[in-house]
Amino acid sequence: MKKVTDKLIPVNEPLLDGNEKKYLMECVETGWVSSEGPFVKQFEDAFAERVNRKFAISVCNGSAALEVAITALDIRENDEVILPAFTIISCAAPIVRAGAIPVVIDSDPQTWNIDVAKIEERITKRTKAIMVVHIYGLPVDMEPILALAKKYNLKVIEDAAEAIGQTYNGKSCGSFGDISAFSFYPNKHITTGEGGMVTTDNEELAQRCLGLRNLCFQPERRFVHEQLGWNFRMTNMQAALGLAQLERLDEHIKRKRQIGRLYNQLLADVPGLQLPLTHTDYAENIYWVYGLVIKEDIDFDAKEVMIKLGKHKIGTRPFFWPMHEQPVFRKMGLYRGESFPIAERLARRGFYVPSGLSLTDRQIQRVVQCIKDIMK
Ligand SMILES: *Cc1c(COP(=O)(O)O)cnc(C)c1O
């Protein structure tokens, strides 16, 4: 094994080598630092065009984007919203806060996305919406979901945080359904430090989102409110970063795919590991993260491998912990007696290795050598 004196390889390091500095300096020099600055609208317009939506509403992070989306769709007490068990808490939190019920579905064992075939049996009279989440770089199979939404008159919320620049059958992720949400956290395909976006083609929904992100101030008389909103505004400095990053999105996707392909190639013959799919019928992976799943015949799990990689200064993260196993939801009485075995296995046996945009091929080789030594 390699010596422990090797330099740390962080699980993610963003790439900020385009116009980021120039646009940020412009904020400082002009004094436009708040959400009133000109980059905010520029970033929103450029983003809307890129994902092929009529409206893009920037917010302060991806979790806020989902909060705004759920509220704009008027999800209420006792409504049911269907979503994957295997996702981040940001998806379920706004549903629960609205007093609605997050009904979860197990994962597809190959794509790790929601198992589309299991959705229809969970639709009831109370179902109001389906929230799809594109997981780790491969899009959800949207066609059957859009068909179900039509058949049962359901809203579709699309969480495209991990699919910026990804397409499904050639159509942009973040352009499906009623409303879509994005995050620009530094590990996403483009970053604003913290930041997010809501996109939609529906003008009324867009107006509601604009209100909700800005405390529901009203144009007629400021400080008089008909509804409660939040201050979820994005700053001009964040938007400056976002605009520069968006200019590089195609290159970022290209590099992410190179990283994914190199890992796939170097890890192909390592026994006991399930690698990410390179593609499906409808998309090529953009490897938001490079995930690995320890196969079931191996008598150790992801935790042990992550500890060993950590000793060799290689950053890792565990996979998501499924919603039905979240202590916070169990305490609320949700998911009693429910079990989703694929999501449970992914949570225990899955982890991801460094795959940030600043990662070098040499670093990938070091990560792979360590994994090979551990899996022997
Ligand atoms: C990152 C992420 C979020 C949350 O975004 P933040 O900006 O961190 O709040 C939501 N959903 C998915 C699928 C994500 O990957």
Side-chain angles (χ1 to χ4, degrees):
M1 279 213 184
K2 277 273 169 80
K3 289 192 300 290
V4 188
T5 49
D6 280 334
K7 247 186 94 188
L8 171 78
I9 304 179
V11 72
N12 176 69
E13 202 179 331
L15 192 62
L16 305 162
D17 63 353
N19 283 321
E20 288 82 357
K21 202 171 174 181
K22 182 177 161 216
Y23 296 166
L24 270 176
M25 281 305 289
E26 218 173 298
C27 298
V28 175
E29 281 163 4
T30 60
W32 280 114
V33 288
S34 78
S35 61
E36 296 284 317
F39 283 125
V40 176
K41 185 75 170 56
Q42 279 179 51
F43 180 43
E44 288 173 336
D45 289 348
F47 196 83
E49 191 178 324
R50 172 68 207 226
V51 303
N52 204 17
R53 279 286 209 190
K54 285 198 186 123
F55 306 98
I57 301 97
S58 61
V59 288
C60 56
N61 59 61
S63 305
L66 288 162
E67 201 75 56
V68 165
I70 286 286
T71 311
L73 286 176
D74 199 24
I75 302 293
R76 294 174 187 205
E77 215 157 300
N78 299 321
D79 287 343
E80 290 177 3
V81 179
I82 289 174
L83 75 161
F86 186 71
T87 187
I88 187 169
I89 194 96
S90 312
C91 297
I95 300 169
V96 172
R97 287 207 184 96
I101 299 147
V103 174
V104 302
I105 308 279
D106 209 352
S107 309
D108 176 288
Q110 298 305 318
T111 64
W112 310 329
N113 273 317
I114 189 166
D115 187 340
V116 176
K118 290 182 178 148
I119 294 178
E120 190 163 17
E121 65 200 43
R122 301 296 306 273
I123 294 174
T124 71
K125 282 200 183 70
R126 295 197 294 186
T127 308
K128 187 98 181 269
I130 303 173
M131 182 188 284
V132 297
V133 188
H134 307 301
I135 300 283
Y136 294 175
L138 275 175
V140 172
D141 189 4
M142 291 305 298
E143 251 167 51
I145 291 178
L146 296 172
L148 282 177
K150 201 167 173 196
K151 182 173 169 188
Y152 293 98
N153 191 26
L154 306 174
K155 301 287 184 200
V156 173
I157 306 147
E158 183 193 18
D159 182 347
E162 300 172 10
I164 307 173
Q166 179 57 293
T167 57
Y168 167 84
N169 280 337
K171 192 172 181 290
S172 285
C173 290
S175 70
F176 289 93
D178 297 275
I179 197 161
S180 309
F182 292 88
S183 160
F184 307 122
Y185 190 70
N187 62 1
K188 311 291 166 149
H189 289 84
I190 62 169
T191 186
T192 59
E194 301 283 352
M197 194 78 83
V198 182
T199 60
T200 180
D201 290 323
N202 180 318
E203 184 161 13
E204 197 191 321
L205 273 181
Q207 285 302 329
R208 256 184 255 164
C209 292
L210 281 171
L212 287 166
R213 79 151 179 209
N214 192 26
L215 295 166
C216 293
F217 276 122
Q218 300 195 110
E220 303 83 52
R221 173 63 170 91
R222 201 171 172 84
F223 305 116
V224 177
H225 303 263
E226 296 281 346
Q227 207 193 332
L228 287 178
W230 300 270
N231 175 358
F232 282 166
R233 300 182 301 257
M234 175 181 272
T235 69
N236 200 47
M237 295 176 288
Q238 290 169 302
L241 266 189
L243 197 62
Q245 288 268 295
L246 192 57
E247 293 168 357
R248 306 296 299 270
L249 177 55
D250 289 330
E251 284 159 80
H252 287 190
I253 299 278
K254 201 171 142 202
R255 178 62 191 147
K256 280 288 209 178
R257 282 183 168 146
Q258 282 172 350
I259 290 171
R261 277 197 292 258
L262 184 55
Y263 269 125
N264 274 343
Q265 208 182 317
L266 297 175
L267 289 168
D269 300 324
V270 180
L273 284 181
Q274 181 193 345
L275 310 183
L277 290 184
T278 57
H279 63 278
T280 58
D281 291 345
Y282 37 80
E284 197 195 327
N285 206 332
I286 58 166
Y287 305 96
W288 171 58
V289 293
Y290 189 84
L292 294 165
V293 181
I294 314 277
K295 287 186 180 164
E296 273 188 296
D297 54 352
I298 304 288
D299 61 7
F300 49 82
D301 62 14
K303 200 169 163 184
E304 279 179 60
V305 180
M306 287 191 292
I307 289 170
K308 285 184 180 158
L309 286 170
K311 285 190 180 142
H312 288 270
K313 299 207 179 163
I314 292 169
T316 57
R317 289 282 183 282
F319 270 17
F320 292 133
W321 194 253
M323 293 306 104
H324 68 287
E325 290 194 285
Q326 293 294 342
V328 61
F329 294 149
R330 291 284 189 164
K331 277 183 264 179
M332 291 174 178
L334 285 166
Y335 308 120
R336 269 200 200 111
E338 288 188 62
S339 155
F340 302 94
I342 312 286
E344 287 161 24
R345 179 171 60 81
L346 292 176
R348 287 159 179 83
R349 296 198 155 255
F351 67 103
Y352 53 92
V353 293
S355 71
L357 286 157
S358 291
L359 196 67
T360 64
D361 287 0
R362 188 175 283 272
Q363 287 177 312
I364 293 174
Q365 282 156 2
R366 200 181 111 205
V367 174
V368 168
Q369 192 50 54
C370 277
I371 293 172
K372 281 183 171 172
D373 290 340
I374 293 165
M375 295 307 292
K376 246 185 225 154

